[in-house]
Amino acid sequence: MSYDRYVAICRPLHYSQVMSWGTCTQMVSLVWSSAFFAPFMYIFFLRRLTFCGPNFIHNFFCDLPHLLQISCSDTSINVLVVIVVGSLLSVAAFVATFYPYVRIFRTVFKIRSSDGKRKAFSTCTSHLIVVFVYYASITFIYLVPNTSNLLTLNQVVTVIYALITPLLNPLIYSLRNKDLKVALRRTLHIDGTRRST
């Protein structure tokens, strides 16, 4: 999405050439393949662990940090693999997401009209909100230690990460559609008149 916004704002005349079907297919294939193959490294190292205590995970889904927490084996190698692989993937995803926005902001600040700047920023705001919620929640889940004091907060953040972020995407992007905005205003106006009568 950030690269799409970059091409739409910084190179609008070349948009259809740059964001061709082939380019989109390659980018989606790269993201899906890295998301598919990266967990195999974690699974390979999880096989060496033993679980001998109470196998109860205090969360909504079985995630790697929670499995390492209930293991009775030495998890130092697993933690190292999580840090190395997770850091490489996180840094790559972070750079791929935010570097286009650096270029976008440079271009937008060169626009003289305030209306042009507002339109350019409005196309980026929705994606930045979703990305911020996603990165904030995932940083909390994987970098803040799981202690009993933060158990409830960790579960709330997990719900935000697993449910709220994916639900925000269609909501935010559909609210940018003019037809949907008109229909929503019409619906709210009808409901308001019904309540007042």
Side-chain angles (χ1 to χ4, degrees), residues 85-96:
V85 175
S87 297
L88 290 174
L89 290 175
S90 298
V91 167
F94 188 81
V95 168

Side-chain angles (χ1 to χ4, degrees), residues 116-192:
K117 287 181 181 180
R118 186 185 54 77
K119 284 182 182 178
F121 279 128
S122 70
T123 61
C124 301
T125 306
S126 55
H127 182 241
L128 283 173
I129 290 170
V130 173
V131 167
F132 176 75
V133 169
Y134 175 76
Y135 274 109
S137 59
I138 203 166
T139 300
F140 184 85
I141 290 171
Y142 289 102
L143 295 182
V144 174
N146 289 327
T147 61
S148 58
N149 298 336
L150 298 174
L151 183 62
T152 305
L153 185 58
N154 195 322
Q155 290 174 346
V156 169
V157 173
T158 302
V159 169
I160 291 171
Y161 164 69
L163 296 175
I164 304 298
T165 305
L167 289 174
L168 276 177
N169 274 324
L171 178 68
I172 287 175
Y173 292 117
S174 62
L175 285 178
R176 291 182 59 227
N177 184 333
K178 290 180 182 177
D179 296 334
L180 187 68
K181 284 181 183 178
V182 170
L184 184 63
R185 285 185 191 130
R186 193 178 313 134
T187 302
L188 293 175
H189 180 67
I190 290 171
D191 287 346

Side-chain angles (χ1 to χ4, degrees), residues 2-136:
S2 60
Y3 185 69
D4 177 68
R5 295 296 89 208
Y6 161 72
V7 176
I9 293 171
C10 299
R11 301 177 64 191
L13 299 177
H14 301 281
Y15 182 83
S16 59
Q17 292 174 335
V18 175
M19 293 304 292
S20 64
W21 177 257
T23 303
C24 293
T25 304
Q26 288 173 353
M27 290 193 315
V28 168
S29 299
L30 176 69
V31 170
W32 283 358
S33 60
S34 63
F36 181 76
F37 289 113
F40 286 118
M41 180 79 69
Y42 302 138
I43 293 169
F44 177 77
F45 284 98
L46 268 177
R47 291 177 48 225
R48 57 180 286 281
L49 298 180
T50 56
F51 299 93
C52 51
N55 294 333
F56 184 75
I57 295 175
H58 297 281
N59 216 314
F60 298 110
F61 58 91
C62 183
D63 202 9
L64 188 61
H66 307 108
L67 285 174
L68 296 179
Q69 192 176 21
I70 64 170
S71 173
C72 54
S73 312
D74 179 28
T75 60
S76 57
I77 293 175
N78 297 77
V79 170
L80 182 65
V81 169
V82 168
I83 290 171
V84 170
V85 175
S87 297
L88 290 174
L89 290 175
S90 298
V91 167
F94 188 81
V95 168
T97 302
F98 286 105
Y99 179 70
Y101 281 112
V102 171
R103 303 282 304 270
I104 288 170
F105 291 144
R106 282 187 196 160
T107 303
V108 169
F109 287 128
K110 291 177 186 176
I111 297 174
R112 292 188 179 148
S113 70
S114 59
D115 190 44
K117 287 181 181 180
R118 186 185 54 77
K119 284 182 182 178
F121 279 128
S122 70
T123 61
C124 301
T125 306
S126 55
H127 182 241
L128 283 173
I129 290 170
V130 173
V131 167
F132 176 75
V133 169
Y134 175 76
Y135 274 109

